[in-house]
Amino acid sequence: MDHAKSAARIGAEYCALGTLLMGRGIARAGHLDAVLRLGTSFEVRHPRVITFEDLTVPQAIEAGELEWGRVGAWTRRMRLRAQGRAFRNATACCTATPWTARSVVEDFGTDPGKVFPVGLGANHVPGSAGPEPDRAASSAKDWSSPRFLFVGKAWEDKNGPTLLAAFARLRGSHPDARLDLVGNHPRVDLPGVTGHGFLRTDDPAQQRELATLYARATCLVVPTTFEPAGIVHVEAAAAGVPSIGSARGGAADMIGPAGLTVTPGDVPELVAAMDRMADPATARRMGEAGLERARLFTWDLVAHRMLQAGGLELHDDAAWRGLFPA
């Protein structure tokens, strides 16, 4: 059902309706300094437009995203042309990651001088009362035994079965290892594995449970089949937890020095990465790197970077420094 809804949002009718409603909204708003486009489904007519993408159409098609397989060639061409127009007409093209920025430049011939990777912010910082990294929880963490954490709504897309196969092998060399599962996972009856089901963000008790799991975790493992960026890695870093993520997509840009990436579906490679993270000194060092990195990934800073990219604020190097090291 989710993929069917996504496919409907790709279609020409949805785009035409969105363009109409967007135009009316801009007209009613009166004077606007700029318009921020989250995605390129709709046409936006304004002298100063800032686009924001975590994924381009060519990247989605190449990745085999299911919704793009449900639409015809004409629709794909229509969306490619629309996205190209959006980038050409934009004052600035902001992206979540350098991985997406490369597509904006290389696949559409966009001027690199107006393409800006600005990052993403954490939606929820586990255990923290606000959007800032939880340094106290990280300093109190017990790193002596590996405790892995999986957080993902879509079990199959996030490669949950691969993770279970890798963890079963890891237990041969690390019998004290534990794995906590959060999300729409099936019932799992394996030694060392505990399932917690889907924990809602609007339920305080469930969020306290999630915060406890992050406080205990020595590594987040979400080896997604394809990950455009991965806010979950930002949230783990803000809790002082290093990550193992997908090498397919932009997750590596988000994780940076705070973890590792692996080829999706490659069990031996995932076992090797988890074995490396089972070393307390390695996990702690990368967790501390995550805490430092998390300072750069807040929605306030993302907003400031967008405004600076669009010429609405003076450029401040401090807001960008260290975000995506070359």
Side-chain angles (χ1 to χ4, degrees):
M1 179 63 73
D2 287 344
H3 288 299
K5 289 180 180 178
S6 296
R9 288 194 288 269
I10 293 172
E13 295 84 358
Y14 181 84
C15 295
L17 178 60
T19 299
L20 175 64
L21 295 176
M22 180 66 72
R24 289 178 177 176
I26 291 175
R28 283 197 301 268
H31 173 74
L32 294 172
D33 292 326
V35 175
L36 173 63
R37 292 187 63 160
L38 301 179
T40 52
S41 298
F42 314 141
E43 296 288 340
V44 177
R45 297 176 179 89
H46 189 274
R48 190 188 297 267
V49 176
I50 304 168
T51 65
F52 179 75
E53 301 284 344
D54 69 352
L55 177 70
T56 65
V57 173
Q59 289 174 323
I61 293 173
E62 183 188 8
E65 294 284 84
L66 288 180
E67 55 265 31
W68 288 94
R70 296 172 184 263
V71 299
W74 182 89
T75 298
R76 290 194 291 271
R77 288 194 298 270
M78 179 270 294
R79 287 300 307 278
L80 282 165
R81 289 193 298 268
Q83 192 161 66
R85 284 195 304 273
F87 294 149
R88 285 194 302 274
N89 296 334
T91 303
C93 303
C94 295
T95 65
T97 64
W99 174 75
T100 307
R102 287 191 292 273
S103 177
V104 175
V105 173
E106 296 169 6
D107 293 326
F108 294 94
T110 309
D111 177 5
K114 70 173 189 178
V115 180
F116 301 86
V118 298
L120 294 171
N123 291 333
H124 307 280
V125 178
S128 174
E132 296 301 319
D134 189 359
R135 299 177 183 278
S138 177
S139 63
K141 188 185 299 292
D142 178 6
W143 299 92
S144 61
S145 296
R147 185 146 191 170
F148 297 96
L149 174 64
F150 170 92
V151 179
K153 181 179 179 181
W155 175 251
E156 295 290 339
D157 288 349
K158 301 297 182 183
N159 263 331
T162 299
L163 172 57
L164 292 181
F167 181 75
R169 293 192 191 182
L170 183 77
R171 287 269 293 185
S173 57
H174 298 279
D176 60 335
R178 298 290 183 269
L179 172 62
D180 291 297
L181 306 176
V182 175
N184 294 325
H185 58 80
R187 179 180 175 134
V188 178
D189 186 17
L190 289 175
V193 180
T194 303
H196 302 269
F198 185 80
L199 300 178
R200 296 178 58 90
T201 59
D202 58 354
D203 185 308
Q206 293 185 22
Q207 281 306 290
R208 286 193 295 272
E209 181 179 355
L210 182 61
T212 298
L213 293 174
Y214 269 104
R216 294 174 181 167
T218 60
C219 182
L220 176 81
V221 189
V222 188
T224 312
T225 301
F226 168 70
E227 184 62 78
I231 288 180
V232 68
H233 299 300
V234 176
E235 294 173 345
V241 179
S243 288
I244 297 174
S246 174
R248 190 172 182 227
D253 291 329
M254 305 303 291
I255 295 171
L260 307 170
T261 59
V262 296
T263 303
D266 190 323
V267 174
E269 189 176 340
L270 181 55
V271 173
M274 294 174 73
D275 182 64
R276 185 177 172 190
M277 284 298 196
D279 173 59
T282 299
R284 181 167 193 159
R285 183 180 71 252
M286 290 190 175
E288 290 172 350
L291 274 175
E292 288 303 309
R293 188 162 177 74
R295 295 185 298 105
L296 305 171
F297 289 83
T298 68
W299 285 119
D300 281 349
L301 278 175
V302 171
H304 283 302
R305 292 181 193 118
M306 288 181 179
L307 292 175
Q308 291 174 23
L312 296 171
E313 286 187 1
L314 292 177
H315 187 85
D316 177 8
D317 287 342
W320 305 80
R321 190 175 300 120
L323 181 63
F324 295 116

